[in-house]
Amino acid sequence: MSFFPRRAFALLFAFAVCLWAESVRQAHLSKWKTQQGWALRKAPGASRYEKFFAVGVWNIPGYTKDAMENAPQVYRSGAAAYLQHSPLYNMVYLSPGADDAAAGRVEVTGSIAFYECLKACQQAVPSAGGTDADYAVRQQLRLQAQEGEASFLQRLDDAIDRNIRAIGTNDHIWAPVDEIAGGGAGSGWCWSPEVGRRIRQRIRRREPHTLVYTDLLGISRGSSYLFERRYLQSHAALPSEPPYDALGEGARRLPQRPLLGFVQAYDGSPVYVNGTADYVSYDLPTLKRFFYENLRICARDYRACGDVFGINSFIDCNTYPVLAGVVVDGIRSGVGPDVPVWIFFDGNGYARPAHQSPEAFAGNLKCQMYISIIHGATGILFWNDRSLSPEVFQALEPVLTELKDREPIIKAGTLEQHLEGDVHYMVKRLSDGRTYFVAANTLTDKEATCSYNGQVHRLPPYGVAWVQL
C-alpha cells in the first residue's frame, strides 16, 4: 500500500471518528423550535416536542459569591450545592463546564464566551481610545459583520467551538450578548443588529436545532441604537466620530460616560438628565409609550439575532408592575406572535425600595410575573445580585413553588385575555375541560375589582387571583 492511500485512510478514519463523536454529542442535546409564542422542546431521548415554560436563574446569591466570568469552576461548584436540592428552576445560566452542576437542567451558555470574544474583536480595531471609543469601534465591527470579514467570523467560530468543547454533552441553549440594543451593562454604545445576526448564524451553523436567547435592553426607556436609527432618517450615514452636535447646543457630557446623551427613546426623548447619569422623570403613561415603541422597534430590527427575546428593566418594572405586560406587547408587536418572550426579573432585590420588606417585594415580583404571563410571556428568568444577602431570593421560593404547581394551567390554551384597566386577566382551559380565571392587580397602592362570569373579584395592591370557574 502506497503512502497516499494510508494517509487518505487515516484522514477518512479521523473524519469518521469526528462525525461519530459529534453525533453522540448531539444526541445528548434537546432539539428546539418555536411556535405560537412558545419554545417547544424535544428532550434527549424523547419522541415529540412539548411546550417548555422557562423558569431560569442567573447568579445564585448566598450559595456562591464567585462570579461566573472570574472563577467559572468555583462558580459551578457553588451553584451545584443549591441546584441539586431545588426543583424550582428548569434552566440556569452557568459558565461552561462538563460536570453535572446543572443537575439535569438546561444550561444557558455563551454569555462569557462572547463577552471575551467581542472584547478581543474590539481590541483588534485601531482606535484613538478615550471614554467614547466604543462608538467608533462598534461602527467598524458592524461593517465587519455586515461584510462577513473573515477574521471576525473566525473569532466568532473559535468562541463557539471553545464553548462547545467546554460544555461537552450538557444540554444547553445560547445567550450570547446581554442587552444587545443597549450595548451591555455600563457599555458606551449598542451592538448592531448585524453583529447579533452573525453571532446567531454562526451558532446555528454548529447547532442547527438550538435556541438563541436575546436580551434586548436593560433600560427600556431608550438606547443608543434608537438614536442611530433616528439619525439615519436625516443623514446618509453615521459619522466616524460621535455626533455630539446632534445632541443640541449646550448639551453637557458626563466626563466618565460622555455617550450617555445618545441614550434616547424612539422619539428622541432623553433617558438621562443632561450631563448626568440620573433618569429623567417621566409619568407612567409616558413610560408605557416609551416601553412599547422602543421594544417594538428594537425587537423588529434585531429579529434575526435570536429565537427568543426579553429585557431586564428592573427599576421601572419594580416601580410600575404593569410595564411587565407592556414589555411583552411591545416585543411581540416587533417579532410577531410565534416568537417566545422570556423576561428577566429582579430575583434578589437589586432595585428593591428601601422601605419594602423581602416578603412584600416578592409579592411585587409575583405580580410582575403574572402580568407578563397574562400578556403572553412563556418564560420568566431571574437575575440576582450576589453582593446582597439572599432574603429576597428565599422569600421568592414559595411564589415559584406555587407557579410550578400551576404550570399545566399556564401551558393550557388561552380562551380570553383582558389587557386594559386596573386588572388584567386571562382565561385558560385544560384538555380535561377545567377552566381557570387568572388575574393581577396592576395598581401598587390600592385595591382593584373586576367582574367576570357573574363574579366580582377583589384584589389587593399587587394582588394575583386564581379561580377555577
Side-chain angles (χ1 to χ4, degrees):
M1 183 181 290
S2 69
F3 173 76
F4 177 76
R6 282 201 301 270
R7 183 181 179 192
F9 176 79
L11 290 172
L12 285 172
F13 179 77
F15 180 68
V17 169
C18 288
L19 286 179
W20 173 80
E22 179 62 14
S23 68
V24 170
R25 189 183 75 85
Q26 291 285 347
H28 286 81
L29 306 182
S30 293
K31 293 184 177 180
W32 301 85
K33 60 184 179 179
T34 60
Q35 182 177 300
Q36 296 179 333
W38 284 91
L40 303 181
R41 177 193 185 197
K42 185 160 74 170
S47 59
R48 62 193 180 101
Y49 286 90
E50 295 185 351
K51 286 181 178 178
F52 183 83
F53 182 77
V55 183
V57 60
W58 182 336
N59 292 338
I60 298 172
Y63 300 91
T64 171
K65 296 290 186 183
D66 300 289
M68 286 188 286
E69 60 272 23
N70 297 334
Q73 294 311 311
V74 175
Y75 180 85
R76 288 184 70 95
S77 177
Y82 174 75
L83 293 171
Q84 288 169 1
H85 298 94
S86 172
L88 300 177
Y89 303 97
N90 55 20
M91 181 169 281
V92 57
Y93 275 73
L94 286 174
S95 47
D99 57 65
D100 191 33
R105 294 167 180 80
V106 177
E107 297 190 27
V108 185
T109 195
S111 299
I112 299 171
F114 280 99
Y115 173 82
E116 296 295 337
C117 172
L118 293 174
K119 181 179 176 182
C121 289
Q122 287 202 165
Q123 291 172 343
V125 175
S127 168
T131 53
D132 62 3
D134 267 359
Y135 171 86
V137 168
R138 294 190 183 183
Q139 301 307 318
Q140 291 299 311
L141 293 181
R142 175 180 58 81
L143 293 174
Q144 290 182 17
Q146 185 173 303
E147 296 169 3
E149 200 271 334
S151 63
F152 177 75
L153 297 183
Q154 189 61 56
R155 283 192 175 92
L156 299 186
D157 290 344
D158 289 346
I160 294 165
D161 288 341
R162 282 195 300 271
N163 200 96
I164 287 174
R165 287 195 297 271
I167 203 168
T169 57
N170 288 355
D171 202 7
H172 62 271
I173 66 167
W174 295 77
V177 185
D178 191 34
E179 302 172 17
I180 188 169
S187 178
W189 206 259
C190 63
W191 296 104
S192 72
E194 289 85 357
V195 169
R197 179 177 63 83
R198 283 293 184 187
I199 290 172
R200 177 177 177 267
Q201 180 188 73
R202 305 311 280 192
I203 289 172
R204 295 295 291 266
R205 180 170 168 263
R206 286 288 277 113
E207 296 189 346
H209 303 294
T210 193
L211 282 183
V212 175
Y213 175 74
T214 299
D215 179 34
L216 288 168
L217 291 169
I219 301 168
S220 296
R221 293 167 174 245
S223 77
S224 50
Y225 173 72
L226 292 165
F227 167 83
E228 275 193 4
R229 194 174 176 281
R230 286 188 69 251
Y231 186 89
L232 290 172
Q233 290 174 358
S234 56
H235 297 78
L238 289 159
S240 58
E241 298 297 324
Y244 289 111
D245 58 305
L247 298 180
E249 187 175 348
R252 299 193 306 273
R253 304 179 201 171
L254 186 65
Q256 302 86 351
R257 301 177 67 186
L259 297 174
L260 280 187
F262 295 104
V263 181
Q264 300 177 355
Y266 75 100
D267 62 357
S269 298
V271 169
Y272 297 102
V273 175
N274 192 9
T276 77
D278 299 325
Y279 278 171
V280 175
S281 179
Y282 292 112
D283 60 17
L284 179 56
T286 302
L287 288 176
K288 283 183 175 180
R289 175 167 58 85
F290 286 169
F291 267 57
Y292 182 86
E293 291 296 335
N294 292 345
L295 289 167
R296 179 184 66 81
I297 293 166
C298 288
R300 183 190 65 202
D301 292 359
Y302 283 82
R303 173 65 186 88
C305 302
D307 305 291
V308 184
F309 290 84
I311 57 104
N312 58 302
S313 294
F314 303 140
I315 295 174
D316 286 327
C317 287
N318 290 348
T319 305
Y320 301 110
V322 70
L323 292 175
V326 178
V327 167
V328 180
D329 297 342
I331 292 176
R332 294 188 78 174
S333 178
V335 298
D338 280 340
V339 178
V341 177
W342 301 349
I343 300 177
F344 268 106
F345 297 96
D346 183 3
N348 198 36
Y350 166 79
R352 172 167 63 105
H355 67 277
Q356 220 171 25
S357 70
E359 292 74 22
F361 187 70
N364 181 331
L365 292 175
K366 177 178 179 179
C367 179
Q368 293 180 50
M369 289 157 46
Y370 282 109
I371 287 173
S372 75
I373 292 167
I374 289 166
H375 280 250
T378 55
I380 55 172
L381 310 173
F382 297 93
W383 180 85
N384 298 298
D385 186 338
R386 291 186 317 278
S387 69
L388 300 175
S389 55
E391 285 89 352
V392 170
F393 184 70
Q394 292 166 344
L396 192 59
E397 290 188 343
V399 176
L400 296 183
T401 299
E402 178 184 87
L403 180 72
K404 186 175 180 65
D405 291 340
R406 291 168 172 169
E407 187 175 308
I409 302 171
I410 295 170
K411 291 179 177 178
T414 301
L415 296 182
E416 189 175 343
Q417 286 175 301
H418 178 81
L419 309 178
E420 299 176 349
D422 297 335
V423 176
H424 295 194
Y425 64 79
M426 64 181 177
V427 179
K428 292 276 190 174
R429 177 176 290 167
L430 279 73
S431 58
D432 62 8
R434 286 179 295 158
T435 305
Y436 287 85
F437 171 83
V438 186
N441 179 7
T442 66
L443 301 177
T444 61
D445 57 354
K446 59 183 178 181
E447 180 184 88
T449 61
C450 72
S451 299
Y452 184 80
N453 201 27
Q455 299 181 22
V456 177
H457 304 279
R458 299 183 181 277
L459 289 83
Y462 300 121
V464 175
W466 286 77
V467 180
Q468 184 173 354
L469 300 175

